């Protein structure tokens, strides 16, 4: 389904990243392609801006919502950097 949500992924504690810096310090890749972050409210995200949106309310339990459907063998990498 479009707007696939990814929650509970391994090593998902990004609490060392400040929520305000998350869009500059976190990169999301799907099958090796760098995704562009969307904007707006997480709950109302419908894929009209960017490839994904991140729920930054609690960085130690981050959630991602994609503008497209994820498939069974898709590889998603979330990488934090300074």
């Amino acid at each position: 389904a479009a707007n696939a949500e990814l929650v509970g992924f391994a090593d998902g504690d990004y609490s060392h990243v400040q929520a305000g810096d998350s869009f500059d310090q976190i990169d999301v890749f799907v099958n090796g392609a760098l995704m562009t972050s969307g904007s707006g409210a997480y709950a109302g995200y419908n894929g009209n801006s960017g490839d994904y949106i991140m729920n930054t309310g609690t960085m130690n339990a981050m959630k991602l919502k994609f503008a497209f459907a994820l498939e069974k063998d898709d590889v998603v990498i979330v990488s934090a950097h300074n």
Side-chain angles (χ1 to χ4, degrees), residues 9-78:
F9 43 96
D11 299 324
D13 185 357
Y14 296 92
S15 58
H16 62 281
V17 176
Q18 297 296 317
D21 297 329
S22 62
F23 293 100
D24 294 328
Q25 295 183 359
I26 294 179
D27 292 329
V28 176
F29 299 85
V30 176
N31 298 327
L34 178 62
M35 302 287 102
T36 59
S37 60
S39 60
Y42 183 83
Y45 180 70
N46 61 8
N48 61 352
S49 70
D51 297 316
Y52 74 95
I53 195 163
M54 181 179 344
N55 180 351
T56 58
T58 54
M59 295 303 293
N60 62 342
M62 186 192 327
K63 297 178 184 179
L64 299 173
K65 192 180 289 184
F66 293 91
F68 51 87
L70 291 172
E71 308 227 351
K72 179 182 176 185
D73 293 326
D74 284 344
V75 176
V76 178
I77 297 172
V78 179

